[in-house]
C-alpha cells in the first residue's frame, strides 16, 4: 500500500469518527456511568475527590508559598482539572484499542471513533469538576472576568493537543504494551515539574522551568483566563504551534501504522 492510499484511509477514518458522533457520545457516557455504577453520587465523586484534595492541601501549600489561601485553592483546583483531563485522554488512548477490540472486530468502528469516545468521557468528568470550581469560586468571592468567554476556545486547543498525543500513544502503546506503564510513570514525574501545585512566579529559575514546559502553557491558557482574566499571548502562541506541529507528526504516523493495529490487538 503506497503512502497516498495510507493517508487517504487515515483521512476517511478521521471523517468516520466525526460522522459516528452518536456512537462515541453514547459509548463515552456509558463509560462514565459504568465507572460509578450503583454509586449514589455517581460522577460527582470525581468532583468531590478533587475538592477534598485541594481544600486539604490548599491552606498548607499557600502558607509555604506565602500566597492567599483562597487564590491558591482555586489555582490548584484548575491546574488539577486541566491536568487530569489531558492525562486521561493521553493515557487512556493507549489502552483504548485493546479494551475495545470487540467494537473494532464486530462493529468495525473507526479508530478515531474510539479516540473521540475517550475525549468525550473525560470531557464529561471535566464538566462536573468545573461545576464544583464555579461553586467554590462563588463561595470564596472570586471575581468573574470577561475573558471567561474564551474558555471554550482554550478547551478546544487543549483537546486538540491532547488528542494528537493520544493518537501517537494509541498506536505505539498498542504495539508495545509496556509503553503504557512507562508513560504512567513518566507522567507522574511531569506532574511535579509542571506548575500545578507550585507557582512559577515565586522564583525566577522556576519561571524558566515553567516556560520550557509545554503542559504549563496548555494549562495556563485555561487557568489564566479564569483566575486573573489575563490572556498570556506567549502561552496561546506556543499552544497553537504545538497543536500544528503535533498533528503534522501524529497523523502520518497513524496513517502508516493504521493497517497494522488490527493485528496488534
Amino acid at each position: 500500500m503506497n503512502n497516498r492510499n495510507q493517508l487517504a484511509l487515515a483521512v476517511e477514518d478521521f471523517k468516520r469518527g466525526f460522522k459516528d458522533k452518536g456512537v462515541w457520545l453514547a459509548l463515552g457516557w456509558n463509560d462514565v456511568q459504568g465507572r460509578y455504577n450503583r454509586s449514589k453520587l455517581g460522577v460527582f465523586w470525581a468532583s468531590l475527590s478533587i475538592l477534598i484534595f485541594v481544600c486539604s492541601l490548599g491552606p498548607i501549600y499557600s502558607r509555604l508559598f506565602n500566597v492567599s489561601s483562597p487564590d491558591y485553592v482555586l489555582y490548584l483546583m484548575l491546574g488539577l482539572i486541566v491536568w487530569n483531563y489531558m492525562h486521561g485522554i493521553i493515557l487512556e488512548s493507549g489502552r483504548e484499542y485493546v479494551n475495545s477490540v470487540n467494537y473494532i472486530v464486530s462493529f468495525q468502528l473507526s479508530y478515531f471513533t474510539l479516540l473521540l469516545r475517550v475525549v468525550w468521557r473525560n470531557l464529561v468528568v471535566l464538566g462536573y469538576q468545573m461545576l464544583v470550581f464555579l461553586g467554590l469560586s462563588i463561595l470564596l468571592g472570586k471575581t468573574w472576568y470577561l475573558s471567561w468567554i474564551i474558555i471554550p476556545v482554550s478547551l478546544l486547543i487543549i483537546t486538540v493537543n491532547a488528542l494528537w498525543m493520544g493518537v501517537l500513544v494509541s498506536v505505539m502503546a498498542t504495539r508495545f504494551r509496556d509503553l503504557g506503564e512507562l508513560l504512567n510513570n513518566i507522567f507522574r514525574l511531569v506532574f511535579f515539574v509542571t506548575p500545578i501545585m507550585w507557582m512559577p512566579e515565586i522564583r525566577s529559575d522556576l519561571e524558566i522551568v515553567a516556560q520550557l514546559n509545554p503542559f504549563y502553557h496548555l494549562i495556563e491558557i485555561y487557568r489564566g483566563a479564569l483566575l486573573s482574566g489575563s490572556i498570556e499571548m506567549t502561552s496561546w502562541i506556543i499552544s497553537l504551534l504545538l497543536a500544528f506541529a503535533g498533528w503534522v507528526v501524529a497523523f502520518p504516523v497513524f496513517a502508516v501504522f493504521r493497517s497494522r493495529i488490527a493485528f496488534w490487538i
Side-chain angles (χ1 to χ4, degrees):
M1 186 180 298
N2 60 43
N3 292 337
R4 182 173 296 181
N5 288 338
Q6 289 176 331
L7 188 60
L9 289 173
V11 170
E12 182 60 28
D13 194 289
F14 183 82
K15 291 180 179 178
R16 280 187 58 198
F18 284 95
K19 287 180 181 178
D20 292 340
K21 178 181 177 181
V23 175
W24 52 261
L25 284 175
L27 289 176
W29 181 252
N30 186 65
D31 291 339
V32 174
Q33 289 183 315
R35 187 180 301 176
Y36 302 97
N37 188 33
R38 300 180 66 85
S39 169
K40 297 296 183 181
L41 294 179
V43 72
F44 272 108
W45 271 115
S47 305
L48 184 60
S49 62
I50 201 171
L51 179 64
I52 294 171
F53 183 83
V54 300
C55 289
S56 299
L57 291 186
I60 299 173
Y61 276 72
S62 63
R63 292 195 176 191
L64 291 175
F65 298 134
N66 194 29
V67 295
S68 167
S69 182
D71 290 342
Y72 180 77
V73 166
L74 295 176
Y75 176 91
L76 176 60
M77 174 173 277
L78 281 177
L80 287 171
I81 288 174
V82 180
W83 172 263
N84 289 339
Y85 178 66
M86 294 188 293
H87 175 271
I89 291 174
I90 296 167
L91 292 190
E92 289 175 22
S93 294
R95 303 185 294 267
E96 185 61 24
Y97 298 154
V98 175
N99 293 341
S100 303
V101 60
N102 290 333
Y103 291 113
I104 296 173
V105 175
S106 301
F107 299 98
Q108 296 183 337
L109 293 184
S110 72
Y111 296 116
F112 266 96
T113 299
L114 298 174
L115 293 180
L116 290 173
R117 169 194 187 182
V118 173
V119 173
W120 171 239
R121 68 176 178 237
N122 281 281
L123 186 61
V124 169
V125 173
L126 179 141
Y128 276 94
Q129 291 178 339
M130 284 303 299
L131 290 177
V132 174
F133 166 78
L134 291 174
L136 188 60
S137 64
I138 294 172
L139 183 64
L140 296 177
K142 182 63 183 175
T143 304
W144 292 27
Y145 299 99
L146 184 62
S147 60
W148 285 32
I149 62 175
I150 68 168
I151 290 304
V153 181
S154 303
L155 188 57
L156 176 61
I157 295 173
I158 292 168
T159 304
V160 169
N161 275 286
L163 187 55
W164 74 253
M165 297 180 202
V167 169
L168 281 178
V169 172
S170 69
V171 174
M172 297 297 111
T174 303
R175 177 62 182 88
F176 305 102
R177 300 297 172 87
D178 292 326
L179 183 60
E181 293 301 321
L182 176 61
L183 287 175
N184 197 31
N185 286 282
I186 291 174
F187 268 87
R188 288 175 186 170
L189 174 62
V190 175
F191 173 84
F192 288 106
V193 298
T194 302
I196 297 171
M197 299 183 66
W198 53 275
M199 296 178 167
E201 57 267 22
I202 61 177
R203 287 185 56 174
S204 58
D205 52 347
L206 291 179
E207 180 72 29
I208 296 173
V209 173
Q211 292 297 329
L212 293 174
N213 188 335
F215 288 104
Y216 164 71
H217 297 288
L218 291 173
I219 292 173
E220 198 58 25
I221 64 173
Y222 190 89
R223 182 171 59 188
L226 284 171
L227 287 186
S228 61
S230 62
I231 300 176
E232 181 56 55
M233 290 308 300
T234 300
S235 294
W236 278 84
I237 292 171
I238 290 175
S239 298
L240 288 169
L241 290 175
L242 185 65
F244 176 77
W247 277 104
V248 167
V249 174
F251 199 78
V253 170
F254 173 77
V256 170
F257 293 105
R258 176 186 171 277
S259 60
R260 306 181 193 180
I261 294 174
F263 299 98
W264 292 340
I265 58 177

